[in-house]
Amino acid sequence: MSNLFERKRPNGNSVRQIKELITDQFGLSENTTIAVAELRCHEPGCPPLETVITVRHQDGSINDWRIEKSVDEITRTEIENLKKLEE
């Protein structure tokens, strides 16, 4: 039985890269909070693994995106596609 606290953590460099790409794509300020979380789901109907990217703006608004890949697999193209979804 695996321990909840022994899960593999996403690569810190990959998380930083995603945050940089999000900042560049959306023209965010340094004061914007960006959270990147890799989630595993064992419930029917949900993807087994996804990365959730949440942006909290200074005005209180929030953007939330889900990509059905691990943090390490996300590329510039997926981040660019998020921008296209917002347009």
Side-chain angles (χ1 to χ4, degrees), residues 23-78:
T23 298
D24 291 345
Q25 280 294 311
F26 292 92
L28 303 176
S29 74
E30 291 181 11
N31 297 326
T32 304
T33 302
I34 304 170
V36 178
E38 189 174 281
L39 305 176
R40 297 183 189 286
C41 181
H42 302 287
E43 300 294 320
C46 72
L49 177 73
E50 68 181 353
T51 296
V52 178
I53 303 167
T54 303
V55 174
R56 295 183 184 275
H57 303 276
Q58 287 181 306
D59 67 3
S61 63
I62 298 173
N63 293 92
D64 189 43
W65 300 282
R66 296 174 181 272
I67 300 173
E68 292 183 15
K69 291 185 173 186
S70 73
V71 166
D72 295 337
E73 296 174 314
I74 294 175
T75 65
R76 178 179 297 275
T77 301
E78 276 90 23

